[in-house]
Amino acid sequence: MRILHTSDWHIGRTFHGSSTLDALRVVLAALVDQVRENNVDVVIVAGDVFDSAMPAADCYSVLSDTLVALRDAGAQVIVTSGNHDSAARLGFQSKLLRDGIFIVTDPRSIGTPITISDEFGPVHFYGIPFLEPALVRHVWNDVPLRSQRDTLTHAMTRVRNDMQSRAGRSVAIAHCFAAGVDPTPQLERDIQQGGLDVVPLEVFADVDYAALGHIHGRQRLSEHVRYAGAPLHYSFGEGSKPRGGWLVDLDADGLSTVSTFELPVPRALVTLTASLEELLDPELFPEATDAWVFARYTDIPPQPDPMRRLQARFAHCAKVAHTPSVVHEDHAASFGARVRAVRNDAELFEAFLTHVRNGVGADEAESQIIRELVAERSLAEIAG
């Protein structure tokens, strides 16, 4: 049996204020092509199908069209809910879809597999929707559930108990933060609470393969525990990470081989670091002309209106940060001392500019303007 493992579609997510729906449609169409070209039997989508609990109408059509296309390409599809999804809305969606498409959202179903057979016999797929401890305690009120570790441990105990009663191979599907993972900073919602919510890998022992979601970079935690990553870039922090997932082959004895598949990147993500003058030079950075751009300008003082100026150079400049090449150490206490030491209003202006412009004071033209303004103010006070 050949399984395609994907996750974290985040349908409806924006990228720095821009819709990603059109780009995601392109990528998901390529995913369907992978299913057809690689003769995939089962597609797993391990959570975070939608980006929010209340997706717009267009998001539902992207999901429905893709699931139907995957089924038409010859694969059965198993989807679980993630921490971004509304389990209720995904569950409602499942009632509108054809046979061979399974959406798992109810924690009460954990331990009851979706069984799909090949020439070697049955493969039992155990879907585990995202389990927020506070929201599932009433389901298993006889079990102490304080953390993700507790809930996943209990869920996998139910899975193992069921496995003992069945012959065949097994696949677990979960959405969690597993030990040893390398997350993208400031991207995946932090579901750790002081380290208590990290799920140890041994929780996923005994199954032939554990298909995980939540982390946006494709990763191998062990031979049989892996993250597929997101099919589209949603952060500059993951711009260097390829998009795709895993092709998982099971033979008669269990896990046989695992290989990667790649997906297209509709628009590359580029982080540029240079002075503002260099960033605005039309001869430099030709590779970024059509890319999403994160511009880090290194001028020592802040520059006026950098986003507008950079968007005139790069049409898809989405983020700008001032990262000066030299950082002037001027804490609030030293600034206060400097203000107390000034002898006149002109020096007060100078102290303020030096403070807010990373150690760069007024140039000669600005000093002349300051002197004129101070003189005019003094004359006005005398006249008054």
Side-chain angles (χ1 to χ4, degrees), residues 131-133 136 140 145 147-156:
L131 301 174
E132 186 72 49
V136 296
W140 304 299
L145 301 177
S147 67
Q148 288 289 308
R149 176 175 182 158
D150 292 341
T151 57
L152 263 296
T153 298
H154 179 66
M156 285 302 298

Side-chain angles (χ1 to χ4, degrees), residues 40-44 70-71 74-78 99-102 114-117:
V40 170
D41 300 298
V42 179
V43 173
I44 290 172
L70 290 170
R71 189 72 183 102
Q76 299 195 59
V77 188
I78 302 173
D99 291 343
I101 300 174
F102 308 91
I114 296 163
T115 299
I116 300 172
S117 296

Side-chain angles (χ1 to χ4, degrees), residues 324-343:
S325 56
V326 176
V327 178
H328 179 73
E329 295 184 3
D330 186 11
H331 302 296
S334 62
F335 175 62
R338 182 179 297 170
V339 169
R340 289 191 294 272
V342 300
R343 294 167 298 179

Side-chain angles (χ1 to χ4, degrees), residues 159-364:
V159 168
R160 289 188 189 88
N161 289 342
D162 185 80
M163 287 168 55
Q164 292 175 2
S165 66
R166 301 177 190 270
R169 296 147 291 166
S170 57
V171 175
I173 308 165
H175 195 87
C176 64
F177 193 101
V181 78
D182 178 24
T184 301
Q186 299 178 341
L187 181 64
E188 295 90 5
R189 192 189 78 173
D190 186 11
I191 59 172
Q192 295 173 266
Q193 300 294 326
L196 296 178
D197 282 357
V198 175
V199 179
L201 289 190
E202 55 264 30
V203 166
F204 300 104
D206 302 326
V207 294
D208 292 293
Y209 184 74
L212 303 186
H214 180 61
I215 301 300
H216 285 199
R218 182 173 57 201
Q219 295 185 46
R220 172 190 180 277
L221 302 187
S222 72
E223 187 59 27
H224 81 289
V225 182
R226 299 173 188 251
Y227 281 99
L232 191 67
H233 289 119
Y234 289 113
S235 164
F236 282 103
E238 58 181 284
S240 62
K241 298 178 181 179
R243 301 292 85 174
W246 300 106
L247 290 171
V248 181
D249 288 315
L250 303 181
D251 60 17
D253 298 320
L255 185 64
S256 173
T257 61
V258 183
S259 59
T260 61
F261 69 88
E262 307 302 322
L263 290 172
V265 177
R267 190 181 303 283
L269 277 67
V270 176
T271 298
L272 305 177
T273 303
S275 68
L276 187 60
E277 181 180 1
E278 291 171 322
L279 291 170
L280 294 174
D281 188 335
E283 301 299 320
L284 300 178
F285 311 111
E287 74 282 2
T289 300
D290 295 318
W292 289 113
V293 172
F294 174 20
R296 294 157 47 93
Y297 72 94
T298 59
D299 304 59
I300 294 176
Q303 297 298 306
D305 206 5
M307 177 62 88
R308 181 190 60 79
R309 296 162 69 185
L310 284 162
Q311 285 181 336
R313 167 71 179 87
F314 303 107
H316 304 287
C317 182
K319 185 178 180 181
V320 176
H322 180 216
T323 56
S325 56
V326 176
V327 178
H328 179 73
E329 295 184 3
D330 186 11
H331 302 296
S334 62
F335 175 62
R338 182 179 297 170
V339 169
R340 289 191 294 272
V342 300
R343 294 167 298 179
N344 53 54
D345 288 344
E347 290 184 1
L348 180 61
F349 275 106
E350 175 70 19
F352 175 74
L353 288 174
T354 301
H355 176 68
V356 299
R357 300 203 305 199
N358 191 31
V360 178
D363 59 25
E364 182 55 38

